[in-house]
Amino acid sequence: MKVLVTVKRVIDYNVKVRVKSDNSGVDLSNVKMAMNPFCEIAVEEAIRLKEAGIATEVVVVSLGVKACQEQLRTALALGADRAIHVETDQELESLNVAKLLAKVIEEEQPGMVILGKQAIDTDNNQTGQMLAALTGMPQGTFASKIVVDGDKALVTREVDGGLQTVELNMPIIATTDLRLNEPRYASLPNIMKAKRKPLVVKTIEELGVSIKDHTKLLSVTPPPERQGGIKVADVAELVDKLKNEAKVI
Amino acid sequence: MSILVIAEHDNESLKSATLNTVTAALAIGGDVSVLVAGSQCQSVAEAAAKISGVSKVLVADNAVYERQLAENMLPLIVELAAGKTHLLAPATTSGKNIMPGVAALLDVAQISEIISVESADVFERPIYAGNAIAKVQSLDAVKVLTVRTTAFDEAELTGAASIEVVASVCDAGNSRFVGEEVAVSERPELTSAKVIISGGRGMGNGENFALLEAVADKLGAAVGASRAAVDAGFVSNDMQVGQTGKIVAPDLYIAVGISGAIQHLAGMKDSKVIVAINKDEEAPIFSIADYGLVADLFEAVPELEAKL
């Protein structure tokens, strides 16, 4: 079985986000970029499926600017076999990403597609679900466990209030949640080896997918700042304040 | 404007997230209907009919909708979307599971987790873990939205909407519910609790969360945790409050042994009153706390429990 994994290049999760003074967006100049943490979990899961003998090939895909190839090389160093880069300088909305990925799926015919549940920049949490709808493949979103059993997959999902397990007919779309696995680090020899693994670059035109804007970003502003309050001396004062000043207990 | 709200429920009771979502729908304005898709869910439909401002409740009552699997819900909602200008669902795991696929089938965008309605086609939503707020205009004829429930009040229950049966049965046949593990708790759910007490890495281990549970029992509070406490293996992930966990906004949030990482603050900073108990007086959590207590939690928390 071939497993297709998607990775997104985003701001590193340790970087403090600053809104541009003209409110046009977030300042990304000279900021450290990295693979989206939920995508790291997706790559790890695919590699584990290969190590377990369930997956035969792991193909990693990224869409965006040329520099996305850094994240694709990282995925190759972690153990993916080959990479596809859909290169564009356009900002791609989730629906457009899903349409382009649907085309890649049509060409690659994977048995499973694994995506991060959301990217930590736009926080949309929708590309995987859109891809499932466009391809007609069943979805196991927010997965904390994926078990392949013949032509079915059992996916345990993190839902409000607990865990839910669904049985899906292969091929499937899965999106990763935090508890699915703990991603590994790439070793230096593997980073060197990754440079020789195949990476194909395609354009939106080559994929033959027509896309258009569905939303317009009007402004990006910093969130309202919450003012700090006071320090209390001891527990007695805290209880008194909560009872008589804030009146919340 | 004609708006359809997808109800959140468990076939027995209507979840309060639906009420917040209706408030967002009413802010857009126009005719608001609610879809209750489930199995043996008549009581939910009756509860939904009482939501103020709702004109009609659509009930699709069939075994195929019992677990609201996305594969079966999508064709149903797409069918009911005809003539609608807006489709809304709460940004719960169920709403997040279903709505993007609906948007894709309608060839429109989904605008996720809106926190305000500026007009019928302009909405605000947090991005970058709440470190920035984006104002977004939809260019589509149909707007598909998920609603961050903590940003909208609950609609009142003084209405009397009509109930209409939807006969469509959509069974995609490619997915099946197998089972669930419900986190059993005597305490309220995190997302609906009026009081929450959360522990962080400072708790040291999972057993020490018993200290928080004792306080929670006195206050009728839910117990939460920071991502650091979850990653350290102290407690399960469903207790996580933060951008990658649950977004909460209770009347009182007590953060114990939590330093206040950005991703945690994004999940609780809209709480009405925030209390922080931490022995490190430099901890960032104090910069947003209404009441800060610099103290060893292992002394302060039992004392707090005794004084309540």
Side-chain angles (χ1 to χ4, degrees):
Chain A
M1 175 181 73
K2 185 193 288 186
V3 177
L4 193 77
V5 191
T6 60
V7 298
K8 183 174 184 185
R9 176 182 171 88
V10 297
I11 189 167
D12 186 273
Y13 75 99
N14 284 315
V15 172
K16 187 164 167 54
V17 171
R18 286 180 207 286
V19 172
K20 285 187 197 166
S21 56
D22 66 356
N23 291 339
S24 63
V26 163
D27 193 355
L28 294 178
S29 52
N30 303 314
V31 164
K32 187 182 174 204
M33 303 294 278
M35 192 190 296
N36 178 43
F38 289 103
C39 302
E40 287 182 341
I41 298 173
V43 171
E44 175 68 29
E45 193 66 13
I47 295 165
R48 289 187 189 191
L49 284 167
K50 191 176 174 197
E51 288 168 346
I54 297 163
T56 48
E57 186 183 27
V58 175
V59 182
V60 60
V61 189
S62 191
L63 296 80
V65 295
K66 189 166 180 59
C68 292
Q69 291 181 15
E70 291 169 21
Q71 279 64 49
L72 287 171
R73 289 290 173 201
T74 302
L76 293 171
L78 289 166
D81 297 297
R82 62 186 171 89
I84 300 169
H85 178 211
V86 180
E87 190 177 341
T88 174
D89 290 335
Q90 256 180 289
E91 282 282 330
L92 294 174
E93 293 177 31
S94 307
L95 181 58
N96 292 331
V97 171
K99 285 180 178 177
L100 291 160
L101 288 175
K103 184 68 184 180
V104 173
I105 288 173
E106 191 188 311
E107 290 176 358
E108 293 285 337
Q109 297 287 321
M112 186 184 295
V113 184
I114 313 177
L115 305 86
K117 75 166 179 180
Q118 77 187 59
I120 61 166
D121 50 1
T122 50
D123 288 330
N124 277 316
N125 191 335
Q126 51 184 227
T127 304
Q129 296 90 314
M130 288 179 158
L131 189 56
L134 294 177
T135 57
M137 290 156 77
Q139 67 189 41
T141 52
F142 328 139
S144 62
K145 194 176 177 191
I146 301 172
V147 179
V148 177
D149 182 13
D151 59 352
K152 310 244 191 233
L154 282 172
V155 178
T156 302
R157 308 178 50 232
E158 302 217 5
V159 295
D160 295 330
L163 297 172
Q164 181 196 64
T165 303
V166 290
E167 184 189 75
L168 308 172
N169 294 359
M170 302 278 274
I172 69 158
I173 306 270
T175 74
T176 62
D177 217 320
L178 291 172
R179 271 194 296 182
L180 185 59
N181 60 50
E182 267 189 48
R184 71 191 71 188
Y185 294 98
S187 67
L188 192 59
N190 284 343
I191 291 171
M192 300 310 290
K193 244 169 41 189
K195 292 180 178 167
R196 294 190 301 273
K197 288 188 178 177
L199 188 158
V200 175
V201 181
K202 298 189 177 200
T203 63
I204 293 173
E205 293 70 36
E206 280 166 7
L207 286 173
V209 176
S210 72
I211 57 172
K212 63 165 188 172
D213 287 342
H214 293 267
T215 59
K216 187 175 166 194
L217 184 62
L218 300 180
S219 69
V220 175
T221 50
E225 251 182 69
R226 190 179 175 116
Q227 296 299 319
I230 57 160
K231 292 252 171 67
V232 291
D234 51 31
V235 173
E237 190 189 349
L238 175 63
V239 172
D240 176 63
K241 293 281 188 196
L242 291 177
K243 272 191 179 145
N244 301 314
E245 192 176 90
K247 296 188 170 66
V248 286
I249 59 171
Chain B
M1 245 93 62
S2 183
I3 304 172
L4 181 65
V5 171
I6 317 303
E8 173 100 2
H9 66 90
D10 59 4
N11 295 313
E12 284 169 14
S13 60
L14 184 73
K15 299 292 177 190
S16 61
T18 312
L19 306 179
N20 309 99
T21 308
V22 167
T23 299
L26 294 170
I28 296 165
D31 181 70
V32 178
S33 307
V34 172
L35 168 66
V36 175
S39 176
Q40 312 274 314
C41 56
Q42 189 60 29
S43 60
V44 178
E46 283 160 19
K50 293 196 180 78
I51 306 173
S52 308
V54 172
S55 67
K56 191 162 52 174
V57 175
L58 303 169
V59 193
D61 191 336
N62 191 287
V64 299
Y65 304 126
E66 185 181 1
R67 298 293 170 172
Q68 298 183 41
L69 296 170
E71 291 73 22
N72 298 349
M73 290 289 285
L74 257 52
L76 173 70
I77 298 173
V78 168
E79 179 189 316
L80 297 174
K84 300 290 177 201
T85 55
H86 297 75
L87 307 175
L88 277 69
T92 54
T93 48
S94 177
K96 288 174 181 173
N97 189 45
I98 294 167
M99 297 308 273
V102 172
L105 293 181
L106 294 171
D107 197 23
V108 301
Q110 172 184 282
I111 300 180
S112 301
E113 301 226 19
I114 63 163
I115 54 169
S116 85
V117 174
E118 303 291 303
S119 71
D121 62 354
V122 177
F123 311 92
E124 285 191 328
R125 59 178 302 267
I127 54 174
Y128 290 90
N131 289 305
I133 306 295
K135 190 181 283 188
V136 182
Q137 181 172 27
S138 165
L139 306 175
D140 293 314
V142 183
K143 284 86 176 152
V144 175
L145 312 167
T146 60
V147 175
R148 180 167 290 191
T149 54
T150 55
F152 296 89
D153 292 334
E154 290 179 13
E156 302 206 12
L157 293 167
T158 55
S162 61
I163 298 180
E164 195 175 289
V165 173
V166 177
S168 308
V169 177
C170 309
D171 187 359
N174 56 2
S175 64
R176 190 171 68 86
F177 170 82
V178 176
E180 66 184 352
E181 273 176 57
V182 179
V184 184
S185 173
E186 298 291 301
R187 302 193 183 88
E189 269 189 73
L190 271 173
T191 45
S192 58
K194 299 281 180 224
V195 181
I196 294 173
I197 182 163
S198 287
R201 203 193 294 274
M203 296 304 295
N205 60 46
E207 286 75 53
N208 289 335
F209 270 72
L211 297 172
L212 306 185
E213 287 164 7
V215 176
D217 288 341
K218 288 221 168 153
L219 292 171
V223 178
S226 69
R227 179 167 175 181
V230 172
D231 286 349
F234 298 172
V235 291
S236 64
N237 193 33
D238 54 342
M239 287 171 66
Q240 190 195 142
V241 172
Q243 181 68 18
T244 52
K246 306 229 161 82
I247 310 288
V248 300
D251 291 340
L252 173 60
Y253 188 91
I254 306 173
V256 181
I258 291 176
S259 63
I262 293 166
Q263 90 95 18
H264 184 73
L265 301 187
M268 46 65 80
K269 68 179 168 51
D270 294 326
S271 306
K272 217 168 275 170
V273 175
I274 296 173
V275 170
I277 301 175
N278 202 305
K279 67 178 179 210
D280 173 13
E281 64 178 310
E282 301 296 320
I285 189 82
F286 285 122
S287 68
I288 65 150
D290 299 282
Y291 302 108
L293 175 61
V294 180
D296 182 348
L297 71 93
F298 295 104
E299 286 165 19
V301 174
E303 195 185 338
L304 176 63
E305 188 221 333
K307 285 200 161 60
L308 289 169

